[in-house]
Amino acid sequence: ARFSKEKIAPLSRQMEENREVPQDLMNEIAELGVSISEWLGYRIPIEYNGVGGDLFSLLLIAEQVSRVDPTFVSIFGYQNTLAIPILAQYGNEEQKQKYLPKIAAGMLACVCLSEAESGSDAFALQTRAIPDGDDYIINGSKLWISYANCAGLFLVMANAAPEMGYKGITCFIVDGDTPGLSVPRKEEKLGMHLASNCPVIFDNVRVPGSNMVGEAVGGAQGVLDHAISYAMERKQFGKRLFDFQAMQHQMAKASVEIEAARLLSYNAARLIDQKIPSIKQASMAKYYATEVASQICLQGVKWLGALGYMKSMPVEKYLRDLIA
């Protein structure tokens, strides 16, 4: 928590404007005994050169970092909660031996799912993988793929048996330098500028058949921290804002909602670590935490008045980042 406040927070605006993490900050992280590659491979098992960390510990780290910059935490959160689990849980031993050590060494992986006509409705995806001998030929396009511009590995969801409908959807491992794979641009967004999102094009991308494979509480807490600090100092009508009972009620309610979101997230992470079925609990945590984060961010802008709208205060950035 101290490192986040002293080292990451002062550089938050600079990182947003430059769209990159300064090398000096990466060096300071390494001096803590934790390299960037170890962050990226936090949940990779030790036998594949990873840290072997659990989801609950990752959640605690992410919460503290996102209190000062939700975008900074997104890159290792994305790797460890989406890309790595797909390979670690569903990849065969040969695939794990080949790719997990590369990710543990710092290579980024991205998951290619969303399409123009297939966002939350993943079963409607149109990207096809047509068998060709021992290989598959992938054609299609994806949208809003996180970190595709700097990824060395693409986990691509494609339908290998359209006649079976959604049951034909399969994940394919595609190396970033495979001919026919292209990333034409980075999208410009309202927030989350440090995290890139890109379209990905697959034009007759050939992959071997053996490559078939069988993230909000801290930000809300950060807004509340800034709002309480401001309310304790700002005076109106001869009183601190915090001394008005209506303001106390609003902030107390926000504190309860954040704690509820935190406990829902902790419980889901605990169940996942113990390999207990947790679809219901994870869905509840995702829904409630994102709703609370967006509402408290908006409320934080109101609490700070005109200052909440200014870039001199970090609250407007929390709002832009957390509604993404």
Side-chain angles (χ1 to χ4, degrees), residues 10 27 77 103 111 129 141 147 201 214 256 268 277 304 311:
N27 294 339
I103 298 175
V111 178
S141 59
Y147 306 105
I201 309 299
V256 172
L304 270 65
K311 286 194 172 183

Side-chain angles (χ1 to χ4, degrees), residues 35-286:
S35 67
I36 290 294
S37 62
E38 287 177 316
W39 278 32
L40 296 178
Y42 187 78
R43 292 188 68 204
I44 293 177
I46 295 174
E47 58 266 32
Y48 303 108
N49 300 336
V51 174
D54 57 34
L55 182 59
F56 187 78
S57 299
L58 179 72
L59 185 61
L60 295 179
I61 297 170
E63 182 181 346
Q64 293 304 316
V65 176
S66 61
R67 288 178 72 162
V68 300
D69 193 330
T71 313
F72 186 85
V73 78
S74 68
I75 185 168
F76 74 88
Y78 175 83
Q79 288 286 107
N80 283 285
T81 60
L82 190 58
I84 289 171
I86 290 176
L87 277 174
Q89 294 178 28
Y90 302 108
N92 59 38
E93 188 58 32
E94 181 181 354
Q95 292 166 344
K96 293 177 184 178
Q97 290 284 356
K98 182 177 180 180
Y99 291 107
L100 287 179
K102 293 181 179 180
I103 298 175
M107 182 180 73
L108 291 180
C110 66
V111 178
C112 301
L113 175 61
S114 296
E115 300 179 0
E117 303 299 328
S118 170
S120 298
D121 182 13
F123 290 164
L125 64 82
Q126 297 299 307
T127 298
R128 297 289 184 257
I130 306 302
D132 184 39
D134 293 332
D135 298 336
Y136 282 83
I137 308 297
I138 300 177
N139 280 285
S141 59
K142 302 291 185 177
L143 293 178
W144 313 303
I145 306 305
S146 299
Y147 306 105
N149 62 305
C150 49
L153 185 67
F154 292 71
L155 300 175
V156 184
M157 306 301 167
N159 201 321
E163 68 279 4
M164 296 176 61
Y166 71 88
K167 293 183 179 179
I169 296 174
T170 305
C171 178
F172 292 87
I173 301 171
V174 182
D175 290 287
D177 58 356
T178 303
L181 187 159
S182 61
V183 181
R185 66 181 182 277
K186 291 194 296 183
E187 301 289 4
E188 290 296 325
K189 303 172 296 184
L190 176 67
M192 299 292 283
H193 291 160
L194 188 59
S196 62
N197 294 87
C198 316
V200 182
I201 309 299
F202 300 92
D203 183 11
N204 290 322
V205 174
R206 180 179 292 272
V207 296
S210 59
N211 277 26
M212 183 186 292
V213 179
E215 116 57 231
V217 175
Q221 185 66 60
V223 171
L224 184 60
D225 290 344
H226 283 288
I228 291 176
S229 177
Y230 175 78
M232 295 290 283
E233 297 178 1
R234 174 68 168 166
K235 290 186 177 181
Q236 290 285 287
F237 306 104
K239 298 171 62 177
R240 298 180 306 171
L241 287 180
F242 192 79
D243 292 329
F244 288 93
Q245 191 175 52
M247 182 67 77
Q248 294 173 0
H249 287 170
Q250 292 175 35
M251 291 186 171
K253 181 174 180 288
S255 296
V256 172
E257 291 172 339
I258 291 171
E259 187 67 13
R262 178 180 289 119
L263 294 177
L264 281 169
S265 300
Y266 287 178
N267 183 55
R270 177 183 60 82
L271 294 175
I272 292 171
D273 284 336
Q274 295 178 2
K275 295 181 171 54
I276 297 174
S278 55
I279 293 176
K280 175 183 175 181
Q281 290 80 3
S283 298
M284 290 168 61
K286 180 180 180 181

